[in-house]
Amino acid sequence: MDRRHPVASHRKPHAWAAALAFSALTGAVVAFVLMFPWAATRPALLIALAFILLSILSLIAAWRQDRDMARQLTARDAMLHAAFLSTPALTLSRDGLIQRMNGAAVALFGLPREAALGRAFSDLTAEFDMDAVLRSDAQAGHLENRRGYWTGRRADGSTFPLSLRFGLIPSTPGAGGSGEEHVAVALTDLTHSHAAEAQARELHAQLNKVWRLNSLGEMAATLAHELNQPLSAATAYIHASQAEMLKAGPAADAGRPPLDLAKGQLLRAGKLIHRMRELLTIETSVLGRERVSSMIEDLAPILQMIGQDKKVEVRLDAEAEADGVRADRIQFQQALVNLVRNAVEAAAERPGGGAVHVTGRVEGPVYRISVEDNGVGIAEADVDHIFQPLTTTKSGGMGLGLSVTRTIVERHGGALSAQRSPSLGGAAFAFALRRHEEASR
């Protein structure tokens, strides 16, 4: 294997070649002057001296370049050595037998090095197939598995998820046999990664549950408002009818009981709707001390997944200093998820690539959170009513997302605003929460 640095392999030979050429030319000039004394004139001596100086300078330059390349190679070797010590790695023969194993790999599988050497790697990694590696046309790359990860088996019988990368080792001329090192394998323990993904999925499910309850509450409030008017009108009509029947005297007595029953049922329907609204209305009686940067950081995996599904870049930039507020953590996160989801859907329609920026900044006594995208933005005709329930510009949308988000923000003492993003050109939604100094500590 050529261990030379790429720059060294191209530049160092040229430097030494130039130095040797000057030295040879200088020697020829000096020899000519010595062999032919009649040529030792003042100009000739000056020319010979110039060649000597150029030869010395070229040798010094070549030496300095060689020294610099040696330093670069030393630094690179130190980096590679550090990476090799920290990354679990091993080598396999053509038969899939372990030939070499570094300390990190020994610790990962929890078995003595002597017990691992000469053992089939498939004993430690289920479903590993050496023949599939040999049939691959690639010299290096990621080893795929139908489940997306491999399963490692420790000495105590416990299992853990693994990611494998391989690289073929060039064969040594004249060497051979089943014991020759043929493939180098780097291993990555995915235990923590899978645990983080499971935690993100659990949080996402919890947020979805809260979202459904919030949507039901908003829908109940909307229905209560819309149905209250016709119910009140019907009650008023019945009351007027009862007054007219009193004027009619005993002849109308037979019709009064049905009207009384109808009026009672209308009033009961109104109370039921009001009660349903109270039960499903978002509860914010308890606002705890929270840090905005922490709440956003917990959401990072979910927000990145939302962006990846639509091939939109989601960038998070929340200032962590003095970011303490009083908030319901789940409600706050649900409001932010909804704003980011809307922004991602808007930015996904941009041909040149979508981008969404979530920013958090301290502005005096408040902490301001903004969600901006580079989509088409909000039409001026829609700005005044985008927060109204059952208003949507999406096909198949219920029109409750921004309405619920605004309700959550208002229950936290803030106000949700919408405008054009000055930096990305799309929509920008923002709200501010009053800072709480004790929560920042």
Side-chain angles (χ1 to χ4, degrees), residues 204 299-316 335-358 370-378 393-394 402 424 426-429:
H204 200 186
L299 283 179
I302 295 175
L303 300 182
Q304 296 299 336
M305 285 190 296
I306 293 174
Q308 290 171 3
D309 289 342
K310 298 287 186 179
K311 295 181 173 56
V312 173
E313 178 189 5
V314 178
R315 191 182 72 183
L316 307 178
L336 188 60
V337 166
N338 186 59
L339 290 177
V340 171
R341 183 181 288 112
N342 287 349
V344 167
E345 291 176 355
E349 300 176 0
R350 189 176 182 89
V356 173
H357 293 176
V358 180
S370 64
V371 178
E372 304 175 60
D373 63 70
N374 64 345
V376 296
I378 305 171
T393 58
K394 306 175 187 176
L402 288 177
L424 298 182
F429 289 86

Side-chain angles (χ1 to χ4, degrees), residues 2-20 58-59 61-71 73:
D2 188 0
R3 290 174 54 85
R4 292 180 300 173
H5 191 278
V7 178
S9 63
H10 289 286
R11 295 182 60 185
K12 190 172 74 172
H14 296 301
W16 282 110
L20 292 175
S58 63
L59 288 172
W63 172 79
R64 285 182 175 178
Q65 189 178 39
D66 188 52
R67 181 193 60 185
D68 293 342
M69 293 302 168
R71 290 176 178 174
L73 288 173

Side-chain angles (χ1 to χ4, degrees), residues 45-108:
L45 292 175
L46 291 176
I47 293 173
L49 181 59
F51 271 101
I52 292 173
L53 291 176
L54 287 174
S55 176
I56 294 174
L57 290 175
S58 63
L59 288 172
I60 292 175
W63 172 79
R64 285 182 175 178
Q65 189 178 39
D66 188 52
R67 181 193 60 185
D68 293 342
M69 293 302 168
R71 290 176 178 174
Q72 294 182 30
L73 288 173
T74 302
R76 188 194 69 165
D77 288 345
M79 292 174 62
L80 291 175
H81 184 64
F84 179 74
L85 290 178
S86 60
T87 302
L90 50 86
T91 60
L92 305 176
S93 66
R94 286 183 173 272
D95 297 333
L97 304 180
I98 299 174
Q99 301 300 306
R100 191 179 310 185
M101 210 172 187
N102 69 353
V106 170
L108 180 63

